[in-house]
């Protein structure tokens, strides 16, 4: 399994319900890009935030979409690992 599948499989039922609410579709039918953003967002929330979903979490989702690149969302969702030694980084 890859990191994304691990993260998806590790979500609670309620967290999956939130992901489905954010994507507007069943997880299996969701557009991959939208699903990656939703899993990345929901997996970073505290369990109480997931349980007590409110306007604050919905606003947080909108902010996440506005301020998170696709590359960042892929890391947050476990699709790719964060590059701890970027090849483009200047040498020390």
């Amino acid at each position: 399994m890859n990191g994304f599948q691990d993260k998806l499989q590790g979500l609670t039922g309620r967290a999956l319900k939130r992901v489905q609410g954010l994507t507007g579709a069943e997880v299996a039918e969701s557009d991959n890009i939208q699903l990656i953003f939703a899993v990345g967002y929901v997996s970073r929330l505290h369990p109480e935030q997931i349980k007590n979903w409110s306007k604050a979490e919905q606003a947080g989702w909108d902010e996440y979409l506005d301020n998170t690149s696709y590359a960042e969302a892929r890391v947050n969702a476990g699709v790719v690992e964060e590059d701890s030694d970027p090849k483009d980084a200047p040498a020390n």
Side-chain angles (χ1 to χ4, degrees), residues 1 5 7 22 26-27 39 45 47 59 61 66 69 72 81 86:
M1 249 193 237
Q5 286 298 320
K7 196 159 281 207
L22 293 172
E26 293 290 326
V27 170
V39 169
L45 296 176
W61 166 244
D66 288 341
S69 71
E72 290 172 306
E81 290 184 24

Side-chain angles (χ1 to χ4, degrees), residues 33-90:
I33 292 173
Q34 193 174 29
L35 181 60
I36 287 167
F37 273 92
V39 169
Y41 176 67
V42 172
S43 67
R44 301 179 92 188
L45 296 176
H46 187 276
E48 285 299 312
Q49 290 175 288
I50 294 170
K51 182 178 179 184
N52 300 316
W53 196 261
S54 69
K55 289 180 182 179
E57 285 72 33
Q58 186 62 46
W61 166 244
D62 292 337
E63 185 175 319
Y64 184 80
L65 288 175
D66 288 341
N67 298 305
T68 306
S69 71
Y70 180 54
E72 290 172 306
R74 288 170 50 90
V75 170
N76 295 341
V79 175
V80 294
E81 290 184 24
E82 193 164 11
D83 194 351
S84 60
D85 184 25
K87 290 152 193 61
D88 297 333

